[in-house]
Amino acid sequence: MRMYDVIEKKRDGGELTDAEIDYFVSGYVAGDIPDYQASALAMAIFYKGMTAHETAHLTMAMAESGDMMDLSAIPGIKVDKHSTGGVGDKTTLVVGPLVASLGVKVAKMSGRGLGHTGGTLDKLEAIPGLSIEISEPDFFKQVSEIGVAVAGQTGNLVPADKKLYALRDVTATVDSVPLIASSIMSKKIASGSDCILLDVKCGSGAFMKDVDSAIELADAMVSIGEHVGRTTAALITGMDRPLGKNVGNSLEVIEAVATLKGEGPEDLTDVCVELAANMLNLAGKGSIENCRKLARQQIANGEGLAKLAQMVKAQGGTDEVIFDTTKFEAAPFRRDIVAETSGYITSMNAELVGISSVALGAGREKKGDPIDPAAGIILERKTGDYVEKGDVIATLLTGDESRLDEGERIFREALVFGENAPELEPLFFARVSKDGVERFA
């Protein structure tokens, strides 16, 4: 078999065989296939696409390129959730404990933030003492005993994806549904859970900007999951404006705690309840409607919050900050952003809000950049709100005063004002499962 022939076949629109896909993945990971040939195949896939069978096989070949976690030693059904990334998306911190408090195991491998989207691991590391580096035996023990653990990926989990993603990132081949779907699902399948819920974000702050492309991606990922025997569903959720009011690492932990106390913003609470309900439904806990009631019950009775504190303590964190969030270290420098005109906020570009938070130190522009855990943005007003000239729209926070001007400049770019109230985008657009696409809006 020659890589030249594999590239030529896909370039001409042919369907690759399982053997050809295996040859490419194993050869690329081993270093026998050079970057330039892998780039050529990625570009051919970008233009010609892949069938559902090809995409599923590519996913499994990538998943099996490194360690495959076998969670069968952990009793009960294990459910995982993956978000395609957004601004203010702290849902894992709420949903994981909620689901675990109802007896469903959540064994979650998460990632760090890059670009304008925040990462769950960075948020967790804003909690003093908490470690996301958990050995496999400790990970299994924690999930078995308290029902939830959120850890960083192991060094040898899906090496094919690490290598291929780095290449796609610099060859303009990221934006390909088969390659995105196989990248995400290879990590989810290698992580070993029985059921997978995908939160596919859609809007200005998301990778997928429109509903149809978000549904296309969701459908491809659900198809892969079901093809390899994992019960899989996806929700298409809105990311046209930031989720909740807080953007930034410790700020988002504080808001997640408020949500688990029943005091969180309505949009964040509704999204978390819907995600939790779908995870519980996949695990066989009843209809989605009944599971919504269960999730809201765990917020009202405080059991979701207690489970978060339990997880934090198990991972070496200081759980007293969960019970009293004023104990988080506050950023020393802050600036109020006031309205320069009266009117409705007709648009608040979520991507630019995210970029502003990165400029303040809350995210990283490239791998390895340090993060200021207390930096970020508190939104006092959002899309649809009416403001008078001089009203505070947001507060910027940072540990480095010199970052405030750039943070403000970018944040103001995100805002559009008008005389009339805008029609708000819905929070939920669709649900995708093996039974098809159910559109809500």
Side-chain angles (χ1 to χ4, degrees):
M1 200 174 286
R2 294 190 311 160
M3 192 59 196
Y4 178 95
D5 299 322
V6 175
I7 296 166
E8 183 180 49
K9 184 177 183 180
K10 180 48 68 181
R11 182 201 70 188
D12 295 341
E15 181 174 350
L16 301 181
T17 65
D18 292 356
E20 286 167 333
I21 291 169
D22 291 339
Y23 166 76
F24 162 64
V25 172
S26 61
Y28 187 49
V29 171
D32 299 330
I33 292 170
D35 278 352
Y36 59 83
Q37 286 189 312
S39 301
L41 182 61
M43 190 61 79
I45 292 168
F46 180 91
Y47 280 113
K48 296 298 183 179
M50 292 184 113
T51 65
H53 180 86
E54 280 179 296
T55 307
H57 195 82
L58 174 62
T59 304
M60 284 309 296
M62 286 165 58
E64 290 167 354
S65 68
D67 296 338
M68 293 278 285
M69 292 191 73
D70 178 3
L71 303 181
S72 59
I74 299 171
I77 292 175
K78 280 71 68 178
V79 184
D80 198 356
K81 174 194 82 79
H82 175 82
S83 167
T84 56
V87 178
D89 180 11
K90 69 283 292 180
T91 55
T92 293
L93 305 180
V94 178
V95 170
L98 274 184
V99 171
S101 73
L102 287 158
V104 173
K105 302 290 196 295
V106 180
K108 181 147 180 54
M109 297 282 178
S110 278
R112 297 196 177 279
L114 190 61
H116 73 277
T117 62
T120 299
L121 298 184
D122 300 316
K123 292 162 198 177
L124 284 171
E125 286 187 328
I127 299 169
L130 188 140
S131 173
I132 51 86
E133 305 295 337
I134 310 175
S135 70
E136 195 169 299
D138 287 345
F139 184 79
F140 278 50
K141 183 171 184 281
Q142 184 176 322
V143 176
S144 297
E145 290 179 357
I146 71 168
V148 58
V150 182
Q153 291 168 2
T154 64
N156 200 37
L157 197 76
V158 201
D161 179 61
K162 288 190 181 79
K163 202 169 176 186
L164 188 57
Y165 188 87
L167 188 73
R168 287 166 54 216
D169 202 29
V170 294
T171 57
T173 51
V174 169
D175 192 9
S176 157
V177 166
L179 295 177
I180 299 167
S182 57
S183 173
I184 291 170
M185 291 303 290
S186 62
K187 293 190 282 278
K188 292 293 105 182
I189 290 161
S191 298
S193 287
D194 306 301
C195 307
I196 302 165
L197 179 70
L198 302 156
D199 177 9
V200 181
K201 300 293 186 189
C202 168
S204 68
F207 187 69
M208 311 309 280
K209 303 297 183 191
D210 63 88
V211 177
D212 288 342
S213 57
I215 288 174
E216 183 189 359
L217 174 60
D219 195 45
M221 293 193 290
V222 168
S223 173
I224 292 166
E226 292 289 343
H227 186 86
V228 301
R230 309 294 170 91
T231 306
T232 309
L235 284 175
I236 312 298
T237 65
M239 189 40 73
D240 221 41
R241 52 196 185 275
L243 189 57
K245 294 184 175 181
N246 291 7
V247 180
N249 297 291
S250 62
L251 293 173
E252 293 193 39
V253 177
I254 291 165
E255 190 167 65
V257 169
T259 303
L260 285 168
K261 287 179 174 176
E263 300 164 0
E266 186 179 358
D267 62 342
L268 176 61
T269 301
D270 287 350
V271 169
C272 288
V273 165
E274 199 64 24
L275 292 172
N278 275 267
M279 290 170 76
L280 293 163
N281 170 259
L282 291 178
K285 286 286 183 179
S287 68
I288 291 174
E289 180 56 44
N290 190 54
C291 290
R292 280 190 202 108
K293 290 175 185 167
L294 289 173
R296 289 195 184 274
Q297 161 199 301
Q298 298 306 90
I299 292 173
N301 65 20
E303 289 187 24
L305 181 66
K307 187 59 72 176
L308 174 62
Q310 207 179 358
M311 184 190 91
V312 165
K313 192 171 184 180
Q315 293 185 215
T318 307
D319 62 349
E320 65 186 61
V321 299
I322 302 301
F323 296 114
D324 180 5
T325 55
T326 64
K327 292 184 182 293
F328 275 103
E329 193 171 328
F333 303 103
R334 53 195 296 143
R335 178 181 293 176
D336 288 339
I337 305 298
V338 298
E340 295 174 337
T341 184
S342 296
Y344 287 96
I345 300 174
T346 57
S347 175
M348 180 181 278
N349 184 291
E351 183 173 4
L352 287 173
V353 173
I355 293 169
S356 172
S357 76
V358 172
L360 293 165
R364 53 177 73 82
E365 291 172 17
K366 59 184 186 294
K367 221 171 177 175
D369 282 355
I371 276 185
D372 176 355
I377 302 169
I378 298 173
L379 300 168
E380 303 296 342
R381 304 294 179 87
K382 288 173 67 173
T383 308
D385 289 340
Y386 184 83
V387 293
E388 296 282 358
K389 185 177 180 181
D391 283 352
V392 175
I393 298 171
T395 302
L396 311 185
L397 300 103
T398 182
D400 179 353
E401 193 174 12
S402 69
R403 290 175 173 267
L404 286 169
D405 288 347
E406 180 69 356
E408 176 174 358
R409 183 190 67 76
I410 298 167
F411 183 83
R412 287 197 181 276
E413 270 185 42
L415 303 173
V416 179
F417 296 90
E419 292 180 8
N420 300 315
E423 190 174 327
L424 294 180
E425 289 279 356
L427 283 174
F428 307 103
F429 289 98
R431 183 178 190 269
V432 181
S433 69
K434 67 176 191 285
D435 300 321
V437 178
E438 178 188 2
R439 287 182 182 256
F440 308 135

